[in-house]
Amino acid sequence: MISTNLKLPCGAILKNRLVKSAMTERISNNRFEPTKGHELLYSDWSETGAGLLITGNVVVDREHLESAGNVCFDDENMLPKLRSWAEAGKKYNNHIWVQISHSGRQTNRFGTNRPLAPSEVQLKKLGLFGKPKAMTEKDIQDVIERFVKAARLAKEAGFTGVQIHSAHGYLLSQFLSPNTNKRTDRWGGSIENRSRLLLTIIREVRNVVGADFPISVKLNSADFQRGGFTEEESLEVVKMLDNEKIDLLEISGGTYEKLAFFIMNDENSELKESTRQREAYFIDFAKKIRTVSKLPLMITGGFRSYDFCNEVLTNGEVDLIGMARPFITNKEEISLFLKGELPTLKNLVFRTGLKQFEDAAEGGFYARQIIQFSKGKALKTNMSPLWCSMFLILYEFRKAMAKKLA
């Protein structure tokens, strides 16, 4: 089943059901453009045979970066480099979609001390994030236009689709959450109002890219925080999305304050044993979505065995299998997995033994591997967990300073 194709509502066809989900690359140049490293990375990932590759965060506003190494789709002059990236990423008859995003309050201080957000609710983590400014109506309209422009540039460059990032605590996810959206105007309050920005962007993007260009949405199942975006609200948003002309819904979860993938990959977490035994982190929520929506569905996180991937696809629990870290730890073996010649992929758990550093260590480890790959180097597993826990902050600082001095 994993090797069968899938026709999306817009008419586009994916050659199989395996997807490389988004992972931040952090390797743009000082002008926020893609580099030869992007071409090398995505050429290699295309060669794995996966039917769809989704890029890491491509931001719509260079003042609101997820990482100092983000590419920003905001300038027609970078189209030649965007085209080279797109061509490298689809050379084996697969799709490559651009994940477009705005970081909102999750923009770190290396980018700006006063990020834009729905409301002035500060992210308090390691002192890295400034107090945000509540967005004006003009700010909101500007963000809509930026998402639309990024989608237009993606299509012009030859990418085969876009994913609108409304998960993981970034700006559109912030609008959805009552923890971070305290507005009393038409963009806040009820779940209908909190969903308005996401739905408006989807409609405006569709108007620009046309009916036959894939549009995906990445949505949290929940924020996993008290008073935050809940599963019940997520299902309400899914119902709204079911009436929009999107082609794929990817389900994930968590924010910078509560990293779902880290929690669920931890053997000591409170994850239900039945869910842990079934590998996929969000499979129970996927069943609930099937009762309210007919959208093509993908979940990312936890998939590691060939038999289980085929089981959930055959049962109709999901339409696509999303994987991220296996495209690092098992990059050379994905093609064997797709053929059923490799029954199980590695699940590498990277820990320091110090609770406050664990998520930073794991994030730093995988970030360093992607940077290694972009230079043509091989996987390197013998890295110091403590050094990896400090890597991202130091790397962000160096990249940010280099951009300011350029």
Side-chain angles (χ1 to χ4, degrees), residues 57-299:
N57 267 305
V58 164
V59 295
V60 300
D61 183 348
R62 57 185 64 196
E63 297 297 319
H64 289 80
L65 304 173
E66 176 267 342
S67 162
N70 289 148
V71 174
C72 181
F73 278 30
D74 66 349
D75 185 355
E76 282 81 358
N77 291 325
M78 67 172 69
L79 273 170
K81 291 182 179 178
L82 299 183
R83 290 189 178 110
S84 295
W85 182 11
E87 284 302 313
K90 60 184 181 182
K91 61 194 277 188
Y92 288 92
N93 196 33
N94 57 282
H95 277 247
I96 177 171
W97 296 358
V98 176
Q99 185 187 76
I100 49 179
S101 177
H102 187 295
S103 299
R105 74 177 192 138
Q106 288 186 175
T107 305
N108 63 45
R109 291 185 188 272
F110 302 132
T112 177
N113 277 319
R114 292 300 307 275
L116 294 176
S119 305
E120 294 186 0
V121 181
Q122 187 172 1
L123 171 58
K124 295 179 180 178
K125 186 163 185 173
L126 301 175
L128 289 174
F129 304 91
K131 185 175 182 180
K133 293 184 288 187
M135 295 171 71
T136 64
E137 182 70 24
K138 182 179 178 181
D139 292 329
I140 292 172
Q141 295 304 319
D142 179 65
V143 163
I144 295 169
E145 291 172 11
R146 287 176 181 274
F147 270 89
V148 171
K149 182 174 184 179
R152 176 175 61 78
L153 288 174
K155 183 177 182 182
E156 287 182 18
F159 291 93
T160 60
V162 292
Q163 181 179 75
I164 297 169
H165 199 344
S166 189
H168 296 174
Y170 297 114
L171 182 69
L172 301 187
S173 179
Q174 292 162 31
F175 267 88
L176 290 174
S177 173
N179 270 348
T180 48
N181 185 346
K182 307 292 185 183
R183 304 177 72 94
T184 57
D185 60 5
R186 67 190 183 119
W187 306 101
S190 67
I191 187 59
E192 289 77 17
N193 282 355
R194 284 182 274 130
S195 305
R196 191 183 306 277
L197 181 56
L198 171 60
L199 298 179
T200 301
I201 287 170
I202 293 168
R203 292 164 189 163
E204 293 297 319
V205 166
R206 178 58 78 195
N207 287 339
V208 167
V209 300
D212 59 352
F213 190 75
I215 297 175
S216 168
V217 170
K218 188 165 189 171
L219 182 72
N220 270 2
S221 62
D223 291 345
F224 304 110
Q225 292 177 284
R226 190 184 302 251
F229 187 61
T230 64
E231 282 197 0
E232 290 73 24
E233 288 184 322
S234 185
L235 288 171
E236 289 302 311
V237 176
V238 171
K239 291 177 187 176
M240 297 180 213
L241 292 174
D242 206 50
N243 295 320
E244 302 299 324
K245 296 175 181 178
I246 72 168
D247 298 284
L248 178 65
L249 175 63
E250 180 184 358
I251 292 298
S252 192
T255 70
Y256 276 16
E257 292 162 310
K258 206 88 168 182
L259 298 171
F261 290 125
F262 177 78
I263 295 166
M264 292 175 168
N265 203 34
D266 190 337
E267 293 178 357
N268 297 316
S269 75
E270 297 178 0
L271 190 66
K272 281 170 42 178
E273 185 59 28
S274 61
T275 300
R276 193 190 306 281
Q277 288 176 352
R278 297 205 69 211
E279 291 187 23
Y281 300 154
F282 304 105
I283 197 71
D284 291 339
F285 187 67
K287 292 179 181 179
K288 297 178 183 179
I289 290 176
R290 287 301 204 202
T291 67
V292 300
S293 171
K294 296 179 181 178
L295 289 171
L297 181 62
M298 163 180 151
I299 59 177

Side-chain angles (χ1 to χ4, degrees), residues 300-357:
T300 299
F303 289 113
R304 293 295 184 272
S305 72
Y306 182 79
D307 287 344
F308 181 68
C309 290
N310 284 296
E311 176 190 321
V312 296
L313 289 167
T314 302
N315 292 345
E317 295 175 72
V318 295
D319 299 291
L320 292 167
I321 301 293
M323 293 185 185
R325 289 175 292 192
F327 279 85
I328 295 175
T329 55
N330 293 86
K331 179 164 67 84
E332 310 301 329
E333 301 164 319
I334 294 291
S335 60
L336 298 176
F337 182 83
L338 269 170
K339 297 173 188 174
E341 296 174 9
L342 181 71
T344 307
L345 299 170
K346 299 172 189 170
N347 183 29
L348 181 60
V349 178
F350 196 74
R351 298 289 183 264
T352 65
L354 301 170
K355 186 175 181 180
Q356 62 269 40
F357 294 112

Side-chain angles (χ1 to χ4, degrees), residues 18-21 42-43 45-46 48 50-55 89-90 94-98 327:
L18 181 61
V19 180
K20 182 207 80 71
S21 297
Y42 281 83
S43 175
W45 279 329
S46 176
T48 65
L52 168 62
L53 311 178
I54 302 177
T55 72
K90 60 184 181 182
N94 57 282
H95 277 247
I96 177 171
W97 296 358
V98 176
F327 279 85

